[in-house]
Amino acid sequence: RKRFESILNSMREGNNIVKEKDIKILNAKEFGVTYTANKLLEKYDIQKILQEELSKNKAQFNIRGIIKALIINRLIKPSSDLSAYDWMKNDYSEKLDVKEHQVYRALDYFIDKKDNIEKKIFESLKTKLNLNTNLIHYDLTSSYFEGLKCEIAFYGHSRDHRKDRKQIVIGLVMCEGIPIYHEVYEGNTLDKSTLKNMINNLKEKLGIRKTAIVADRGLITEDNLELLDDEEYDFVLGFQRRNNNISKEYLVKEINSKQKQFAKEIGKETIKRSDKEYVRRYILCLDQNTKKERLRNLEEIKNNIDLKLRELKDKYSKSQLNKKGKKMTKESLILQAYKIAGKNKRLFEIKEDNGLKFSLKKESYEYEKKIAGKFLIVTNTTKDAIEIMKTYKELQIVENAFDEIKNFLDIRPLEHHKKSRVKAHVFICVLSFLIESIIEKFSKESARKQIRKLERIKLTEIDINNKKKIKITEIGKDERD
């Protein structure tokens, strides 16, 4: 009776009473990530900047809307631009009138405005996030290429371990965990050759004329150190661990400390050039946990290579005695031996002399043991050695950024053949990572966890007796926050 009375009263008030069979759920689209990304794009003026820069053309379609959708798509369902187009048409919670060819044309307009967009976004972020540009991190990575020929795709040093694929090289500058500038280079570009271009862009485009640059050992050359001195930039750079006289002199020195991580100034030199003096300090650092792991791995590598080389030696000897089967050639023997040794061939003396002859290079092996867990930093700053080590180890932020861009935002493999669209694709990924970085900056959990939570918020379209309604699924406290 109570149920009956409540229904009767509800009807008297003009409310519809709906039977369950009259309710149809027409679709459910992702909403939480799109809503959040939109709010962040608005808050940091990125929406406004895209609108300003991408409306300066004669195109008769919504370029800004397409670029924004591509940025959000990589946060939710990273895939090819063709798949992104399908997502826009069928799963995007915002209405967007778009044709397939317009996605590619939008990328062309977008990359033409890269410099202006990047500069304006940096200026907005610097103000709204109060970025301290006194310290920046710079690193490079590669991403391999699939499909048709591209004029900037070349074979080079692959960080993806895909020597069989052509690639591009990407340089990324970050400030306080936020990406502020990036560049795309040809696949065979050497790390050390990118520094001058990066510094020019810092000065001319972003207006950063005084900062400390933290970078990995791939940038160390005398010319680059002189360039940083002449431009009056501070630097904290990782030093090569091998094939360098300074490394050989300093890395073998003992560090007597029981601290898990320790650093001390191990050397200092004054360079005189053009009536000026430039001081370089060498900081020797030790990570005890890394040392234990490296020593253990070194022993395993040595034993494993030794065992496999012995097996190869026996295999060669047997093939020479076999009268029926095909004999292994000397050339094949040496090639297989070097393949077994791999990047650790510096530890072994390998040669052919009536069979396979090999031995451990004791001097090289002892050097590897002495440098285990150590790394060398060169700097022109006056900071304390421990502080310099901590500053350098923060370079891991950029390495994590590349891992995020490659694995979660799924930058690879690249499938465009036009140079401009390859660069536009990378720019989209970097802007998606920017949104992630902002979420990370203000979250107690990782951005990935937050995004997974937000993905659970759906926008549903419901049909009730031929009347369509839009509803959002229940939002929990974490998602609302």
Side-chain angles (χ1 to χ4, degrees):
R1 184 171 183 83
K2 285 181 180 178
R3 172 70 175 149
F4 163 73
E5 286 177 348
S6 69
I7 291 171
L8 192 59
N9 289 332
S10 183
M11 290 176 72
R12 283 171 178 158
E13 291 171 5
N15 295 323
N16 290 327
I17 303 303
V18 180
K19 296 177 182 177
E20 189 175 343
K21 67 183 180 64
D22 294 330
I23 301 173
K24 296 176 183 176
I25 298 174
L26 301 179
N27 59 58
K29 298 182 178 181
E30 186 285 325
F31 181 74
V33 178
T34 299
Y35 180 87
T36 306
N38 264 318
K39 288 297 180 184
L40 292 174
L41 289 168
E42 288 172 14
K43 183 174 182 178
Y44 296 100
D45 292 338
I46 301 170
Q47 283 263 46
K48 179 183 172 185
I49 292 163
L50 291 175
Q51 182 63 39
E52 288 174 353
E53 291 299 322
L54 298 178
S55 61
K56 300 173 184 176
N57 55 67
K58 297 179 181 179
Q60 299 298 309
F61 61 96
N62 188 354
I63 300 172
R64 179 194 60 82
I66 292 171
I67 295 303
K68 187 186 77 167
L70 287 171
I71 292 168
I72 295 171
N73 172 257
R74 300 215 80 77
L75 292 169
I76 301 167
K77 192 181 178 181
S79 54
S80 68
D81 292 319
L82 184 60
S83 296
Y85 164 72
D86 182 70
W87 173 83
M88 288 179 211
K89 295 291 287 183
N90 300 303
D91 300 300
Y92 190 29
S93 56
E94 293 189 7
K95 288 184 178 180
L96 182 63
D97 183 18
V98 59
K99 295 179 175 61
E100 183 183 332
H101 73 276
Q102 292 171 345
V103 174
Y104 299 104
R105 286 184 61 201
L107 290 172
D108 295 334
Y109 286 116
F110 175 58
I111 199 61
D112 282 345
K113 298 292 183 178
K114 175 186 179 286
D115 287 348
N116 286 349
I117 291 170
E118 207 164 36
K119 180 180 179 180
K120 287 183 177 181
I121 290 176
F122 166 70
E123 289 169 350
S124 175
L125 293 172
K126 185 180 177 184
T127 302
K128 292 179 180 286
L129 290 174
N130 194 27
L131 291 180
N132 180 1
T133 57
N134 290 335
L135 183 71
I136 65 164
H137 292 86
Y138 178 57
D139 205 355
L140 296 105
T141 192
S142 57
S143 189
Y144 63 86
F145 192 89
E146 297 278 12
L148 300 172
K149 182 180 178 182
C150 176
E151 57 193 289
I152 60 170
F154 291 94
Y155 293 108
H157 171 57
S158 174
R159 281 87 165 177
D160 299 320
H161 308 293
R162 291 301 303 265
K163 293 180 181 179
D164 60 324
R165 292 287 187 271
K166 291 183 179 181
Q167 63 176 25
I168 56 167
V169 171
I170 305 165
L172 183 66
V173 174
M174 295 185 69
C175 178
E176 294 191 337
I178 299 292
I180 60 172
Y181 159 73
H182 80 281
E183 199 67 65
V184 177
Y185 298 99
E186 294 180 348
N188 56 359
T189 303
L190 298 175
D191 291 6
K192 61 187 178 184
S193 67
T194 66
L195 185 67
K196 188 170 184 177
N197 182 57
M198 189 272 285
I199 287 175
N200 287 340
N201 279 298
L202 281 185
K203 290 172 63 179
E204 303 305 324
K205 189 163 86 171
L206 304 186
I208 300 176
R209 299 182 181 276
K210 189 69 178 175
T211 190
I213 295 173
V214 185
D216 215 347
R217 50 186 174 266
L219 294 179
I220 289 278
T221 66
E222 187 58 38
D223 287 344
N224 280 345
L225 291 175
E226 289 182 8
L227 173 65
L228 290 166
D229 283 334
D230 293 341
E231 296 291 346
E232 298 183 350
Y233 279 124
D234 289 342
F235 56 82
V236 177
L237 303 178
F239 215 81
Q240 299 99 322
R241 288 162 58 80
R242 302 174 188 87
N243 304 320
N244 184 284
N245 290 332
I246 293 174
S247 299
K248 288 179 180 178
E249 180 184 353
Y250 291 142
L251 276 171
V252 296
K253 292 185 180 293
E254 288 296 321
I255 295 183
N256 297 313
S257 172
K258 293 183 179 179
Q259 293 183 39
K260 288 185 178 180
Q261 294 183 339
F262 186 73
K264 69 175 182 179
E265 185 176 312
I266 202 80
K268 192 174 185 178
E269 65 176 329
T270 301
I271 311 293
K272 292 184 178 181
R273 193 175 70 255
S274 302
D275 299 326
K276 288 185 179 181
E277 290 188 349
Y278 302 97
V279 175
R280 293 178 193 166
R281 299 167 60 216
Y282 296 94
I283 311 298
L284 183 59
C285 310
L286 173 66
D287 186 307
Q288 297 283 12
N289 290 337
T290 304
K291 179 180 179 178
K292 289 177 184 176
E293 184 182 344
R294 291 270 170 86
L295 287 173
R296 184 172 61 250
N297 288 346
L298 186 64
E299 187 69 16
E300 288 176 1
I301 287 167
K302 181 194 76 169
N303 293 338
N304 189 40
I305 292 174
D306 185 85
L307 176 63
K308 288 184 176 180
L309 287 176
R310 289 181 189 280
E311 290 173 351
L312 178 63
K313 181 179 180 179
D314 291 342
K315 182 180 177 182
Y316 177 78
S317 298
K318 288 177 182 177
S319 83
Q320 301 307 302
L321 296 172
N322 191 348
K323 295 180 179 179
K324 293 182 179 180
K326 189 177 179 181
K327 290 182 172 61
M328 186 187 296
T329 65
K330 294 177 181 179
E331 291 78 11
S332 176
L333 173 67
I334 294 299
L335 280 173
Q336 288 186 51
Y338 276 120
K339 189 174 180 179
I340 288 168
K343 62 182 181 181
N344 295 290
K345 57 181 175 285
R346 61 179 174 272
L347 300 177
F348 285 85
E349 183 76 46
I350 297 173
K351 62 181 180 179
E352 193 284 321
D353 185 11
N354 292 323
L356 181 64
K357 296 285 191 298
F358 65 92
S359 60
L360 183 71
K361 291 181 180 177
K362 291 184 179 179
E363 186 178 338
S364 298
Y365 186 69
E366 288 303 315
Y367 179 75
E368 293 298 320
K369 285 173 67 175
K370 287 178 181 178
I371 70 171
K374 295 178 187 174
F375 54 98
L376 187 65
I377 297 169
V378 60
T379 183
N380 59 352
T381 69
T382 57
K383 291 181 179 180
D384 172 77
I386 298 289
E387 191 176 350
I388 288 169
M389 178 184 69
K390 289 179 179 177
T391 299
Y392 177 72
K393 286 179 81 70
E394 286 173 359
L395 195 59
Q396 184 68 42
I397 294 169
V398 191
E399 293 176 13
N400 292 342
F402 281 134
D403 184 63
E404 191 76 7
I405 289 170
K406 285 182 174 184
N407 296 319
F408 289 106
L409 298 178
D410 213 13
I411 193 173
R412 64 191 179 196
L414 292 151
E415 295 179 350
H416 292 290
H417 66 278
K418 285 183 69 174
K419 173 182 174 181
S420 61
R421 288 179 187 169
V422 169
K423 291 189 172 187
H425 175 79
V426 175
F427 195 10
I428 291 288
C429 290
V430 171
L431 288 180
S432 291
F433 177 65
L434 169 60
I435 299 301
E436 266 202 35
S437 301
I438 294 171
I439 292 173
E440 186 100 32
K441 193 174 182 70
F442 297 108
S443 300
K444 294 175 183 177
E445 294 181 305
S446 72
R448 271 292 118 196
K449 285 185 178 180
Q450 299 288 13
I451 287 170
R452 279 197 293 270
K453 287 179 181 178
L454 290 167
E455 280 185 86
R456 296 178 193 132
I457 304 171
K458 306 294 183 184
L459 187 74
T460 60
E461 187 178 8
I462 303 171
D463 185 301
I464 303 174
N465 289 328
N466 297 320
K467 289 183 180 179
K468 292 181 181 179
K469 291 184 177 291
I470 300 294
K471 294 286 184 182
I472 298 171
T473 54
E474 285 295 312
I475 302 174
K477 182 182 181 303
D478 287 349
E479 290 84 356
R480 189 174 297 279
D481 290 342

